[in-house]
């Protein structure tokens, strides 16, 4: 091998090593950032929430509003379904990308009652960006039939293809406290800073 050829090979090897080092250095922070930004169950259990049941805005503690009264004491209470005074209910926390940025967002369904022990549990649906930052509420009210007591209760809640899909129950006059019987299916998509209703059935 001539000196010129050896020099050419040496320069090619150095260029390849430099390219490998640069690509690795650039890839690691990007991957770490995506992992750090992904919302977690722990984020949602400690999520900030606006005023519910007449109680002040705050952060949840293990999925429960810290000012909630516990049965049999009178007073309001609020919790993510599946936690606190709603421990007998299936947990309603969901993650999925509904803002379209490629990173998972979060959704919780909070149950609220004005008197501890009441069987009328009103739902609220709150949305979050990664790391638990409050994004807004999903505007169910106004898209379901009028209900005689509790405005609505959310049954199934899923995130599919960027769409939040809810099954919402409201009360007929003849319904028992436990069992609303009017089902409405609502689909919402995030658009220009708010949730738009895209399907009602």
């Amino acid at each position: 091998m001539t000196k010129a050829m050896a020099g050419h090979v040496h320069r090619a090897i150095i260029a390849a090593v430099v390219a490998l080092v640069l690509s690795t250095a650039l890839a690691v922070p990007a991957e770490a950032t995506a992992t750090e930004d992904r919302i977690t169950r722990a984020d949602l259990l400690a999520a900030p929430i606006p005023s519910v049941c007449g109680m002040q805005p705050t952060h949840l503690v293990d999925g429960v509003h810290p000012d909630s009264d516990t049965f049999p004491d009178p007073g309001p209470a609020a919790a993510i379904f599946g936690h606190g005074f709603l421990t007998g209910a299936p947990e309603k926390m969901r993650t999925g990308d509904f803002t379209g940025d490629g990173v998972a967002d979060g959704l919780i369904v909070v149950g609220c009652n004005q008197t501890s022990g009441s069987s009328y549990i009103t739902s609220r649906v709150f949305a979050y960006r990664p790391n638990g930052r409050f994004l807004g509420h999903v505007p169910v009210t106004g898209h379901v039939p009028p209900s005689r007591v509790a405005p609505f209760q959310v049954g199934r809640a899923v995130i599919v293809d960027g769409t939040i899909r809810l099954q919402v129950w409201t009360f007929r006059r003849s319904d028992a406290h436990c069992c609303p019987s009017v089902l409405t299916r609502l689909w919402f998509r995030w658009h220009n800073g708010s949730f738009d209703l895209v399907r009602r059935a």
Side-chain angles (χ1 to χ4, degrees), residues 11-179:
R11 287 192 295 273
I13 291 173
I14 290 176
V17 170
V18 169
L20 178 62
V21 169
L22 285 175
S23 65
T24 303
L26 292 173
V28 170
E31 183 177 344
T33 300
T35 302
E36 290 166 5
D37 284 347
R38 206 169 292 135
I39 198 163
T40 66
R41 183 174 180 273
D43 292 329
L44 294 175
L45 285 172
I49 61 170
S51 176
V52 290
C53 264
M55 296 183 289
Q56 293 297 313
T58 187
H59 281 74
L60 296 172
V61 177
D62 193 23
V64 179
H65 194 294
D67 296 335
S68 294
D69 286 334
T70 56
F71 183 81
D73 298 328
I80 297 174
F81 274 83
H83 298 269
F85 70 105
L86 295 172
T87 51
E91 186 176 84
K92 289 189 175 68
M93 292 190 293
R94 303 288 182 264
T95 59
D97 178 20
F98 49 73
T99 57
D101 60 2
V103 181
D105 307 293
L107 188 78
I108 61 175
V109 179
V110 172
C112 173
N113 65 344
Q114 294 295 335
T115 304
S116 290
S118 169
S119 56
Y120 289 117
I121 306 299
T122 299
S123 298
R124 295 289 181 267
V125 185
F126 299 127
Y128 297 86
R129 288 200 182 277
N131 289 335
R133 290 169 292 167
F134 183 67
L135 179 64
H137 73 281
V138 182
V140 175
T141 304
H143 298 303
V144 293
S147 190
R148 67 181 177 89
V149 183
F152 61 87
Q153 292 181 10
V154 173
R156 189 165 181 258
V158 295
I159 302 167
V160 179
D161 297 330
T163 304
I164 295 172
R165 303 181 183 185
L166 306 175
Q167 291 183 350
V168 185
W169 296 91
T170 50
F171 289 85
R172 298 182 197 274
R173 185 174 298 278
S174 57
D175 288 341
H177 291 202
C178 64
C179 309

